[in-house]
Amino acid sequence: MFRAIADGFGYLFRLLGDLGGWILDGIWMLFKPLFDLIGAIFYFLYMLGVVLVKILEVVLNVGKLLVGVLTGLFKTVVGLSYTGTPAALPGSYNSALSKIMPFVNSLQLDKVAYLLIFGIWLTAGFMAVKIIGAMRGGGGDD
């Protein structure tokens, strides 16, 4: 008799457990789209933050590059002044340079040399920007 009562309660609790599982599965299926939507919203906000951080990094790096280019440009322009002092060369070259300088000064080739130096610097700057711009994700020429 106790066995029948125990079997009856076992059957009842199994039935209640199955019913509770069925109800929880139904609630889960009912709220799953809402949970997915909330997850998608948080993922979107996370990715938006990642994009904003990357944009900020790019802007700061471009700013650093621009400051470097402008600093180099101003240093080059300031360095274009002629002081009239001879170049500091080894002794064996000084005698040849002292003979050439009057000829160079009379033809004003020193100003052409300064312009060529400026052109070389400007070309090197553009090439550096081109090389940096060709890098995709920090990789090489893949």
Side-chain angles (χ1 to χ4, degrees):
M1 180 156 127
F2 290 116
R3 184 166 176 87
I5 294 173
D7 287 341
F9 277 113
Y11 177 74
L12 179 66
F13 286 131
R14 258 192 321 267
L15 184 65
L16 288 175
D18 290 342
L19 180 66
W22 181 75
I23 290 173
L24 287 177
D25 286 341
I27 291 173
W28 173 252
M29 293 304 284
L30 183 66
F31 288 115
K32 186 169 178 12
L34 181 66
F35 294 146
D36 289 341
L37 178 66
I38 291 171
I41 289 171
F42 281 123
Y43 184 74
F44 175 75
L45 292 175
Y46 168 73
M47 280 296 143
L48 188 66
V50 168
V51 168
L52 289 176
V53 167
K54 292 295 181 185
I55 289 172
L56 183 66
E57 285 178 2
V58 167
V59 167
L60 289 176
N61 286 333
V62 167
K64 280 198 278 187
L65 181 67
L66 183 64
V67 166
V69 167
L70 290 177
T71 302
L73 178 68
F74 287 130
K75 284 183 180 180
T76 301
V77 170
V78 168
L80 289 178
S81 63
Y82 179 68
T83 59
T85 59
L89 296 173
S92 61
Y93 295 110
N94 276 335
S95 64
L97 184 66
S98 65
K99 292 177 185 172
I100 292 174
M101 281 311 287
F103 175 71
V104 169
N105 286 338
S106 67
L107 294 177
Q108 294 184 350
L109 292 178
D110 53 342
K111 293 171 182 57
V112 173
Y114 286 128
L115 290 175
L116 288 175
I117 289 172
F118 180 73
I120 289 171
W121 182 89
L122 199 60
T123 304
F126 279 121
M127 287 297 153
V129 169
K130 184 177 178 183
I131 289 170
I132 291 170
M135 291 182 193
R136 294 194 177 138
D141 295 329
D142 295 342

